[in-house]
Amino acid sequence: MESGFEAQIEGRALTPMMRQYLRAKAENPSALLMFRMGDFFEMFFEDARIAAKELGIMLTSRDKDRGDGGTPMAGVPHHAVGSYVARLVDRGFTVALCDQVEDPKKAKGLVKREITQLVTPGTLSDLDALDPAAPSYVAFVGAAEGSPPVRPVGALELLAGELLVTHCDEALLADELRRLGVRELLVPDAERSAVERLLGPERQLPLRPLTSLVGPAAARRALADRFGNEALIGQDGPASDGQAVALVELVRFAEATQRRALAHLMKPRAYRVADTVILDETTRRNLELTTTLLDNRRQGSLLWHLDRCRTAMGSRRLGQWLLFPLREPAAIEERLDAVQALKDDRGGRETISRALDGVRDLERLLGRVAIGRATPRDLGAVRGSLQQIPALRAALAEQRTALGRRWRELDPLPELAALLERALVDEPPLACTEAGIFRPGYDAPLDELAATCGEGHGFLVDLERRERARTGIHNLKVRFNKVFGYYIEVTKANLAAVPSDYVRKQTLVNAERYITDELKRFEDRVLNADERRKARELELFAELVDTVAAQGARLRTISRLLAETDALASLAQVADEGRYCRPELVAEPVLALEASRHPVIERLLPGGERFVPNDLRLDADGEQLVILTGPNMAGKSTVMRQAALVAILAQMGSFVPARTARVGLCDRIFTRVGAADNLGRGRSTFMVEMLETASILRHATRQSLVLLDEVGRGTSTFDGVSIAWAVAEELHDRVGCRTLFATHYHELTALAEGRARIVNRSIAVQERDGRVVFLRRLVDGPANRSYGIQVAALAGLPGGVLRRAREVLGELERRQSHPGRSEASPPAPAAPEGALEAALDALDPLNLTPLQALAALDRLKTIRADGAPKG
Ligand code: ADP
Ligand code: MG
């Protein structure tokens, strides 16, 4: 693009403005440059072509008559530039805004222009362009350290003023970046391809390679200067060199995009990935934590169900709690205490909700103040939010919880609230260049100027009356327009009555317009006052913004408390409405639920249908691995997921949908769904299923909770059963984690024989008149049969097909009594007795790589098809 660009401008005679444009373009050659000209932001050359195509705007041409075809040009109106920029950034472009930085009226010669902002996917600050319910981080990933390799990761949220830093296992990197909500990634140029490999083809983020990095020593000095010496102490002790570099590069990048020092960035917070429950992306998707599996929508997800927040910042906080469940009991109990107190106090909760309705996205508004982009309306929203503090404080300060204490100790900044109240009109304008930001009485000089401007109207009415009387022209009008200023208009029919002191200004088809000495003097005074009034408003507004910015740290404390209160009140509301219980958190690896329900399915069941609650018990020292059988549609997946959701809810600090719940703290939760069930993914391959299973076997510990739903389904029955068997054995013998294993392979129920911690459970169904009735009750022991045909009948499969299916099933069941036959094997010609068994015996699943396992499966299939191994 750059060389094409140079070729296009080569040999042209450049105007001074074009030279100014090219200088700006050269500063950021890879960004699309939007160049302010009058009321438009224009793009030229290749940028114009790209913008025309991406935005569907007209491609025109400047200096067409020069003979070289002119300069391609495309423009957007300046007042709407934000939405165009957002669209370009969304398509992966970086946009440089080059604005006029002096008043064109006062400029001598060419108006001075400068790049005022670089807009990138990770540094958006336009509230309309940002997803209100999700954070927006730019992250930095550094070079690998140690073995197994971990990488330093830093993340910066521009508007929240937040800096995070951690070390992340390479294996978790892609998941962690997604979980955080990273929109853009900085990497050292040398690490680019390595990081791209780690992210995988599906998970690419806009990547920005950096060629010259700050050195570790300089980075440490810069951090200490900015945040004090403790800035370098993380949870693991002193920050590593890589972490220091990551933080400094992020700050440099953010400041370069905003073209200013960012004083609002808070001290970096170091965290360990393992401090929270690790939920990989497959698990998050399968459990539908934030979006649904089938159509990727928020509605129908757990977060959708939990989110009764009144503010966007509350929703973001809740989402973050859900994706980062805690492992530290004291921190969880603190949230549970607050939820409990709010749940028990319905009246208080109503007051709180009402007050929160008046609170705006204070977190992001403060960010806009800090980066110098706050509008009068933004400050109005800050004021509105602060006005709710007294009511919230009154409702919450009594609470005998950590939340209550924080409200008691909060500085509600009454002087700032009062100042904003006194200063701003009820509905401040959108732009600071518009008049009418301030209330009368706030600033005497401004009031005087406003009075002069306001006199205008009275004067004009008076003048019109006097001139009508003097000339006898009844329809004489005194008016104003932007181009010609003030004038007296007389229609053609009345021209004869025009006095001699009228000076003609403009001729229209039906009228003439005049000015008089008196009107001219008035015009000078008023226009002058109007200019000075605007200047005064701008000056006062800048002062007010500075005053708010100076309270940034205190306001951040307020916004954080508001967001958390909102999230906690939301959890309390859900708990109250759903009659949830407070979970008992324990250290032992158990999960004991009485009358538990699936929070989302329960809510979405069609009217009249009741969700059937179930008891469920898992215990790493007892009922460690539950084999769950039952016909299709019985409710296996549902009951398994509800176990995981209860654990996640408990560790995020929420009440849970059950009568009682004892939850042993989990370090990780895994959920795998067999390929055939995994519709949403759009790539339901057996390979993916096996890779995911391999990852569980590698990472699960005794503290983990593992859900396997029909794993092994994506291949033929024999392969599937054998793999499922071996995986279950491994989880029992070696890992020892709490496991729920739903399967339609009856063979697996035999696993319980001789294995102390494997138990069979099933979901009860009843057969009435040849039809199956789902009872939804979890019971001891394996399912006695699979009722596939009855379920098919429920689905309306034709009678003939059902009859034939029953015949085939009868045949299969007769064969099952034959030794060495599995129920699941079809009535086809079979291999010689024993060949398969021998081949199976020869396999040692524990010592196979996934690829070897695939090859072995293939061999087993060949044996079955041909009756003898090949080669
Ligand atoms: P399976 O995995 O056994 O095929 P699912 O768990 O997918 O069955 O459940 C199928 C449907 O049955 C669910 O979508 C839900 O509508 C209903 N269902 C499941 N469990 C219950 C329950 N405990 N109470 C009421 N309805 C349930
Ligand atoms: Mg299922």
Side-chain angles (χ1 to χ4, degrees), residues 632-633 635-638 641 673 677 709-710 713 742:
N632 259 321
M633 287 300 288
K636 300 183 295 296
S637 302
T638 305
R641 280 176 173 73
V673 177
D677 254 17
D709 195 353
E710 310 274 12
R713 192 176 208 176

Side-chain angles (χ1 to χ4, degrees), residues 601 605 610-612 614 631-638 776:
I601 291 188
L605 272 186
R610 280 233 323 119
F611 192 92
V612 180
N614 270 303
N632 259 321
M633 287 300 288
K636 300 183 295 296
S637 302
T638 305
R776 314 282 184 214

Side-chain angles (χ1 to χ4, degrees), residues 685-727:
T685 67
F686 180 60
M687 188 64 188
V688 172
E689 185 187 325
M690 287 300 106
L691 285 170
E692 292 177 353
T693 308
S695 135
I696 297 186
L697 295 182
R698 221 173 304 125
H699 299 295
T701 75
R702 223 173 96 85
Q703 254 62 51
S704 307
L705 174 63
V706 173
L707 308 188
L708 296 168
D709 195 353
E710 310 274 12
V711 163
R713 192 176 208 176
T715 180
S716 75
T717 304
F718 263 27
D719 308 352
V721 174
S722 356
I723 292 174
W725 186 285
V727 168

